[in-house]
Amino acid sequence: MTSKIILLVEDNPNDEALTLRALRKSGVTNHVVVAHDGAEALDYLFCTGPHTERAPADMPAVVLMDLNLPKIGGIEAVRRIRENAETKLLPVVILTSSDEEEDRLRGYQVGANSYVRKPVEFHKFVAAVQQLGLYWLLLNEPTPPNRAPNRRNDSLDGIRTPDPSP
């Protein structure tokens, strides 16, 4: 993979355009794949449906996930991403206009790496997207390939933990 891919999961065409514009304006030139609902995002990540030809190794560097999506909502999509061994450690940032405490709590409970509320003012939104891009695409060190734990009793740090069954 030559460039880090961003998976943007956004159903609102205006928010999609705003996010893409903010990414460009902040200097992020990475390829952005857009999914318009949670089901489409999961198809992309799991190489199913219309994405069966996608190379499974070409995972996005980060998923920017809206919450209120058709078909499969953002919280449920994150939960499914975390249940799969291939995507368990994939960085997922909830990028939403929701300021509900319950949404933040549920997002973190299902395994989101970050929860970012979309600012209303465009210049503040550009600044937020710029910070997201800087961190997740340049500073963050991704999980080494084929190193995600794939057994139930493997811990996230790669140290085998005792099997809880007697």
Side-chain angles (χ1 to χ4, degrees):
M1 182 167 65
T2 57
S3 175
K4 294 179 178 180
I5 297 167
I6 299 168
L7 176 59
L8 172 63
V9 189
E10 176 61 67
D11 64 316
N12 182 310
N14 293 330
D15 285 351
E16 174 188 338
L18 185 67
T19 304
L20 294 174
R21 183 171 169 224
L23 286 166
R24 282 192 305 275
K25 190 165 177 70
S26 62
V28 175
T29 59
N30 299 64
H31 177 66
V32 179
V33 174
V34 179
H36 296 103
D37 58 59
E40 187 180 346
L42 295 174
D43 277 344
Y44 178 81
L45 292 172
F46 301 142
C47 300
T48 56
H51 301 284
T52 56
E53 299 299 316
R54 186 183 72 77
D58 288 342
M59 280 292 186
V62 64
V63 177
L64 303 178
M65 178 78 67
D66 190 20
L67 282 184
N68 299 313
L69 298 165
K71 297 185 183 176
I72 297 173
I75 295 292
E76 178 61 18
V78 175
R79 187 186 66 73
R80 292 185 191 185
I81 289 168
R82 292 297 178 243
E83 285 179 344
N84 184 288
E86 299 301 315
T87 57
K88 171 179 242 156
L89 300 178
L90 180 67
V92 178
V93 175
I94 293 175
L95 182 61
T96 184
S97 56
S98 173
D99 194 26
E100 295 295 320
E101 198 171 287
E102 183 64 26
D103 286 340
R104 282 192 313 241
L105 178 61
R106 289 177 56 224
Y108 284 119
Q109 284 174 335
V110 296
N113 296 88
S114 185
Y115 188 103
V116 177
R117 188 171 164 269
K118 297 175 192 172
V120 176
E121 298 87 9
F122 181 69
H123 71 281
K124 289 182 180 179
F125 185 66
V126 170
V129 168
Q130 185 174 23
Q131 293 299 315
L132 284 171
L134 176 65
Y135 180 77
W136 291 108
L137 301 172
L138 296 176
L139 297 175
N140 184 55
E141 292 290 333
T143 304
N146 301 318
R147 296 300 306 239
N150 59 8
R151 290 186 304 274
R152 189 178 68 98
N153 59 350
D154 279 355
S155 66
L156 292 180
D157 62 5
I159 299 171
R160 190 160 170 84
T161 55
D163 192 343
S165 58

